[in-house]
Amino acid sequence: MSKKEPALTKSPKLTVPEIIDYCKNELGITFNLMDEEKAKEFLKKNNFFFRLKQYCSTCPEQTKSGKYVGLDFGHLVELSTIDMFLRKLLLKMTIDLEHYLKVKLVNDCQNNPADNGYEVVEKFLESHLKLKEEIAKVNRNTCYGESSFEKYIDAPAAWNFVEMISFADFISFYAFYYDFMKMKCEYTKHFDSVRRIRNACAHNVCMLASFKPVQGFKSDLETNFELLGGNIGIGSGTISYCMKVPLLNDFAVMLSVYTKLISSPKIKEITIQEMKDFFDGRMVYRKQYFENNTDIKNAYQFARKVLDYYSNK
């Protein structure tokens, strides 16, 4: 006889005033940086508490009863605001990466006499049987330019195919392509990080909810060694520690790939400068909020040094 599963405790639905009371009485959150009336307005017009509460995990100290020590509602609002702007910038960069990865693959195909552009796609689809059906379905239900792909669905060439598939399917095809053609490609080993950060941005994930290393997380070794040997102004222990934080690892890897892959100097320069301006401007606009939070300060210092290092590449 199997043990009965414990009943799931469902959280009660709370109104905005009830959420404020819950923050004060149950979580120990203060309302000094943002008063209660402004907090109520924020929850009614700008965000909802389930998202904001995820940033509570950045608070380093809790009492035995589970109340946070030194956590203010203003901290949560500020982190959520910085997070929003950061996601927008990172999404822009990962969209650039996707485009230039496609440009590279198509050019390598066009310049390879042994590649007719069709066989590699046929072989890929043999191991992804449902993909062709999914492509057809998506392209028949669109109102945008993708409808012009319909005539290529039965026999797509590489240059058609990369425009017809999702990012996840594209990076699978990208890795398959270079393996099938027995061509060296330095980027495929970094795809896990690029995919994670791209998906987090695209799906509006709260990225700044944790700055702690994750046990069992495998950092990108090549980027790790690159930073360790790069004299970036941070000790090796700090680099190794920060690279075990998924967000910091993926940020560093994405910058490394971006600065190597983007072939337009102007796009690269403008985009990196936008990120620098954000780090030196809006991100630190209320830096006094986090003066006592070592994790947040260390994460910022690491990311800023990494940004400087790759911007000079």
Side-chain angles (χ1 to χ4, degrees):
M1 185 175 178
S2 61
K3 290 183 179 180
K4 193 173 182 179
E5 292 290 329
L8 177 66
T9 303
K10 294 184 178 180
S11 300
K13 182 179 73 171
L14 301 176
T15 63
V16 167
E18 289 171 338
I19 288 171
I20 300 299
D21 289 339
Y22 171 74
C23 287
K24 292 190 297 183
N25 301 327
E26 302 298 325
L27 300 180
I29 294 173
T30 58
F31 289 83
N32 298 322
L33 299 174
M34 175 176 279
D35 64 38
E36 292 182 30
E37 290 306 312
K38 288 182 179 177
K40 289 175 185 177
E41 285 300 303
F42 185 84
L43 289 172
K44 289 175 182 177
K45 297 180 179 179
N46 300 98
N47 215 327
F48 53 97
F49 187 62
F50 180 77
R51 283 186 66 85
L52 282 184
K53 191 173 184 294
Q54 294 180 59
Y55 299 107
C56 287
S57 60
T58 63
C59 182
E61 191 177 350
Q62 284 181 269
T63 65
K64 290 182 179 179
S65 62
K67 291 185 178 181
Y68 295 98
V69 179
L71 182 63
D72 194 272
F73 195 83
H75 293 141
L76 306 181
V77 172
E78 182 65 6
L79 283 171
S80 72
T81 303
I82 294 170
D83 204 336
M84 174 192 67
F85 288 120
L86 179 62
R87 286 194 306 272
K88 289 181 178 182
L89 287 171
L90 290 175
L91 183 59
K92 177 181 178 180
M93 295 180 80
T94 55
I95 288 172
D96 285 347
L97 278 177
E98 181 178 2
H99 173 71
Y100 279 92
L101 284 168
K102 290 177 180 179
V103 170
K104 183 180 186 307
L105 187 149
V106 170
N107 272 289
D108 286 343
C109 169
Q110 291 169 338
N111 294 325
N112 183 2
D115 180 13
N116 66 6
Y118 290 89
E119 183 186 9
V120 64
V121 178
E122 290 173 6
K123 294 296 183 184
F124 180 75
L125 288 173
E126 285 176 7
S127 57
H128 296 74
L129 297 175
K130 291 185 178 180
L131 182 55
K132 196 169 185 179
E133 186 179 317
E134 291 170 4
I135 293 170
K137 185 177 180 181
V138 169
N139 284 281
R140 289 191 184 106
N141 291 326
T142 184
C143 296
Y144 295 99
E146 289 89 340
S147 58
S148 62
F149 299 152
E150 193 168 343
K151 60 185 176 182
Y152 304 112
I153 288 172
D154 290 334
W159 49 89
N160 312 133
F161 191 59
V162 297
E163 287 292 277
M164 297 161 68
I165 54 180
S166 69
F167 181 71
D169 290 323
F170 168 69
I171 60 176
S172 294
F173 177 65
Y174 191 97
F176 178 89
Y177 180 89
Y178 287 94
D179 184 61
F180 183 80
M181 292 296 169
K182 295 181 172 53
M183 298 169 65
K184 183 180 178 182
C185 182
E186 60 183 309
Y187 303 115
T188 54
K189 64 175 81 72
H190 305 304
F191 278 166
D192 280 347
S193 294
V194 173
R195 175 185 52 79
R196 273 195 304 265
I197 207 164
R198 190 261 193 192
N199 288 347
C201 295
H203 297 293
N204 209 28
V205 170
C206 296
M207 301 178 73
L208 303 183
S210 175
F211 300 99
K212 294 287 189 186
V214 173
Q215 188 174 5
F217 176 74
K218 294 182 179 179
S219 63
D220 188 291
L221 286 178
E222 185 174 296
T223 306
N224 210 323
F225 288 134
E226 190 173 22
L227 294 174
L228 288 169
N231 193 26
I232 68 172
I234 298 178
S236 58
T238 301
I239 291 174
S240 297
Y241 178 90
C242 288
M243 288 294 283
K244 291 176 183 176
V245 178
L247 173 61
L248 298 180
N249 173 85
D250 295 348
F251 179 72
V253 174
M254 190 273 298
L255 282 174
S256 175
V257 176
Y258 190 91
T259 52
K260 292 169 184 170
L261 179 69
I262 304 302
S263 56
S264 167
K266 198 66 178 175
I267 288 177
K268 189 188 305 184
E269 178 188 350
I270 290 171
T271 306
I272 294 293
Q273 190 59 51
E274 282 181 337
M275 186 64 78
K276 281 185 171 182
D277 291 344
F278 173 63
F279 264 75
D280 297 337
R282 181 60 188 86
M283 189 177 276
V284 293
Y285 178 62
R286 294 190 175 97
K287 64 180 180 180
Q288 69 274 16
Y289 283 16
F290 308 106
E291 279 299 318
N292 297 321
N293 194 311
T294 303
D295 288 338
I296 290 177
K297 289 171 66 177
N298 287 345
Y300 174 82
Q301 290 165 5
F302 171 80
R304 189 63 185 84
K305 292 287 188 181
V306 167
L307 182 56
D308 267 341
Y309 175 70
Y310 285 114
S311 66
N312 295 322
K313 288 291 183 181

